[in-house]
Amino acid sequence: MAELKRGAIFISGWGSNLQVFLDQKDQFKSLLVVSSSQKAFGLKRAKDHNVDTLVLGSPIDWQGLTEALISKEIDFIFCAGFMKIIPASFLNQWENPIYNLHPSLLPKYKGLKAIERAYEENDDIGVSIHTLVAEVDSGQVVLQDKVLEKDSYSEKSVDEVRELIQQKEHQMVSLWIEKYLPNRLNHS
């Protein structure tokens, strides 16, 4: 069995995908929730699970964040609704890839409002987990799944589609924890 890892989950808001990590907390040596907003509901979720939190200042002190994560011996970083662009200078300091959850079938619909843009174009809609690189939503896709085929959801509202995407995101995060995390990290 793989040694348990210390993870930092980056969020900015509600934290529904964070909840997947919290519900599987026993799969990790420790978790740290890093938020770009002190008003993020995900911080309450973390506190309810006795998980440490760190709220970033504005502007973000990326070097200070790096030092804080190193001091906590973080093995992996997963962005679950982190609505900030992470600079290359931060990305380059980590031996292991940083992962991001994105609500589209990358490389389509990079950036903000991916669900809405795919919906408006009546295109396939899905979820991707990819590694972070300096260019937004351009890293290697490690997991991807289609939720809706184009022309199959004309009777659904965009809110109904968002709900289906969120359910798939939760499944994908759980799959990433189960299948991907233990086998891909270089150190413990």
Side-chain angles (χ1 to χ4, degrees):
M1 183 171 149
E3 186 173 329
L4 297 181
K5 307 296 180 194
R6 293 178 182 91
I9 313 304
F10 286 25
I11 65 164
S12 290
W14 188 246
S16 69
N17 289 302
L18 164 64
Q19 189 66 51
V20 177
F21 284 95
L22 297 173
D23 289 345
Q24 297 186 42
K25 190 171 83 168
D26 61 339
Q27 300 292 315
F28 307 98
K29 192 167 205 168
S30 67
L31 289 175
L32 171 69
V33 174
V34 177
S35 178
S36 64
S37 169
Q38 69 183 74
K39 295 180 180 178
F41 186 76
L43 294 169
K44 181 182 181 329
R45 291 178 189 266
K47 288 178 181 160
D48 288 349
H49 283 80
N50 297 312
V51 169
D52 289 341
T53 61
L54 174 64
V55 177
L56 303 174
S58 182
I60 295 172
D61 174 4
W62 292 102
Q63 185 56 42
L65 175 57
T66 296
E67 292 166 10
L69 296 175
I70 289 171
S71 75
K72 294 189 175 288
E73 300 178 347
I74 294 299
D75 294 305
F76 74 91
I77 298 169
F78 192 100
C79 298
F82 188 65
M83 303 305 290
K84 298 290 183 185
I85 294 175
I86 299 177
S89 59
F90 180 86
L91 297 172
N92 294 337
Q93 295 190 52
W94 297 95
E95 178 181 350
N96 289 313
I98 297 173
Y99 295 90
N100 185 53
L101 178 66
H102 186 72
S104 82
L105 294 169
L106 292 173
K108 291 183 171 185
Y109 307 106
K110 297 176 183 180
L112 299 174
K113 300 198 180 294
I115 297 169
E116 292 81 357
R117 288 185 286 141
Y119 181 87
E120 287 169 11
E121 293 187 27
N122 196 28
D123 203 350
D124 294 339
I125 297 178
V127 175
S128 302
I129 295 177
H130 65 95
T131 59
L132 282 183
V133 295
E135 186 182 337
V136 173
D137 295 328
S138 295
Q140 178 186 1
V141 172
V142 295
L143 290 173
Q144 188 173 70
D145 201 0
K146 191 181 296 184
V147 176
L148 294 167
E149 299 268 346
K150 61 183 167 186
D151 300 321
S152 72
Y153 52 87
S154 59
E155 301 299 316
K156 295 187 185 322
S157 71
V158 72
D159 287 336
E160 290 171 314
V161 169
R162 262 193 225 99
E163 188 173 312
L164 292 170
I165 290 291
Q166 190 172 71
Q167 291 169 11
K168 178 56 74 177
E169 286 176 339
H170 297 170
Q171 293 169 6
M172 298 274 294
V173 169
S174 188
L175 180 64
W176 183 85
I177 291 168
E178 177 188 340
K179 301 276 188 199
Y180 201 85
L181 175 66
N183 301 321
R184 299 289 195 270
L185 294 180
N186 297 324
H187 62 84
S188 56

